[in-house]
Amino acid sequence: MAEVSSTGGPAGPTPDQGEKPIGRRAVLGILGLGGLGIAFGQHVQNGISDLLKPLRGTGLAGLVPGGGNFTLYTVTSGFPAPPPDYKLTVNGMVERPVQLSVRDLEALPATRLTHDFQCVTGWVVDDVHWTGVRLTELAKLAGARPSATVFHFSSFDGVYTETLTTDQVEQSGAIVAYSMLGGPVSKGHGGPVRLYVPGMFGYKSIKWLSTITLTSVVEEGYWEQNGYPVDAWVNGHGPSAA
Ligand SMILES: Nc1nc2c(c(=O)[nH]1)N[C@H]1C(S)=C(S)[C@@H](COP(=O)(O)O)O[C@H]1N2
Ligand SMILES: [Mo]
């Protein structure tokens, strides 16, 4: 995955800007994260989130490489430009396929969340503000058929895909976000509209969202075809399995 650039999240110093290089080294030593690249496998992911837990809320997460700030990812060569007349399509096993502009989305019942965002590579941003429309709301609007048990997502970057079962959608309260970090979703963060899946690793939160297709078959998403688990709960299970 290409790291295009970093952007200031709401929290913490970064290793480059911070005033405590000794602290940084100590933290990296404690965590054993100094040489960490991309981690594969559920146990590795759980290990990372467990390692980061003691740092949450202390501001020290900002001392982990990339911690406390978003890193902007794209699997293509840059940030794709939205089509001039951008509309989000909801189709598949529905009574009435719909196409929604950002204004249409903003006119639907809004859900506001404050929740962290974490990537399997180890960075976490605490307390990010998100606003959008729940996927359950969009399914209702389009008249999802009872036999539709899976949401499939695609991006106008032409490459990235994701998938969630209706159970995962309901448990997570996933939203189609048109606002994050206190403003419209920026181009780098996947604007005009991205997914946000609370409780799941960041790779589920597909950027530059173009189409939501209701289906009955789980088709692995982009990173899942490359070895990431389809079930991406940060704590290993959804809230209802507690
Ligand atoms: N279209 C698209 N969506 C994507 C990605 C991507 O490369 N392309 N990266 C995913 C991963 S691995 C993470 S951690 C988050 C990162 O979100 P950010 O770029 O806003 O920091 O976006 C996810 N959604
Ligand atoms: Mo990620």
Side-chain angles (χ1 to χ4, degrees), residues 90-98 100 136-145 212 214:
V90 184
N91 63 18
M93 296 165 64
V94 296
E95 303 295 337
R96 357 159 238 290
V98 289
L100 303 161
T136 48
E137 190 73 39
L138 293 177
K140 203 167 69 183
L141 184 77
R145 302 219 169 91
I212 302 173
L214 279 287

Side-chain angles (χ1 to χ4, degrees), residues 1-2 7 70-76 117-121 123 130 155 157 160-161 180 188-190 194 201-208 222-223 228:
M1 86 184 81
T7 183
F70 281 89
T71 298
L72 299 177
Y73 287 136
T74 180
V75 295
T76 62
F117 191 88
Q118 27 184 324
C119 174
V120 293
T121 59
W123 55 267
W130 304 90
S155 169
D157 70 10
Y160 205 92
T161 55
M180 69 181 274
H189 280 300
R194 76 178 298 169
F201 279 111
Y203 64 87
K204 284 285 173 182
S205 294
I206 182 173
K207 307 199 292 182
W208 308 296
Y222 181 89
W223 282 117
Y228 281 44

Side-chain angles (χ1 to χ4, degrees), residues 159-216:
V159 181
Y160 205 92
T161 55
E162 253 309 332
T163 186
L164 290 171
T165 63
T166 46
D167 181 55
Q168 291 171 329
V169 164
E170 282 160 16
Q171 282 203 52
S172 65
I175 60 170
V176 166
Y178 47 75
S179 166
M180 69 181 274
L181 298 167
V185 178
S186 69
K187 189 172 189 183
H189 280 300
V193 159
R194 76 178 298 169
L195 203 64
Y196 175 59
V197 188
M200 288 202 179
F201 279 111
Y203 64 87
K204 284 285 173 182
S205 294
I206 182 173
K207 307 199 292 182
W208 308 296
L209 182 62
S210 63
T211 306
I212 302 173
T213 304
L214 279 287
T215 75
S216 57

Side-chain angles (χ1 to χ4, degrees), residues 50-77:
D50 287 349
L51 281 168
L52 290 172
K53 248 176 231 156
L55 299 181
R56 309 298 296 288
T58 62
L60 286 173
L63 299 172
V64 177
N69 288 291
F70 281 89
T71 298
L72 299 177
Y73 287 136
T74 180
V75 295
T76 62
S77 56

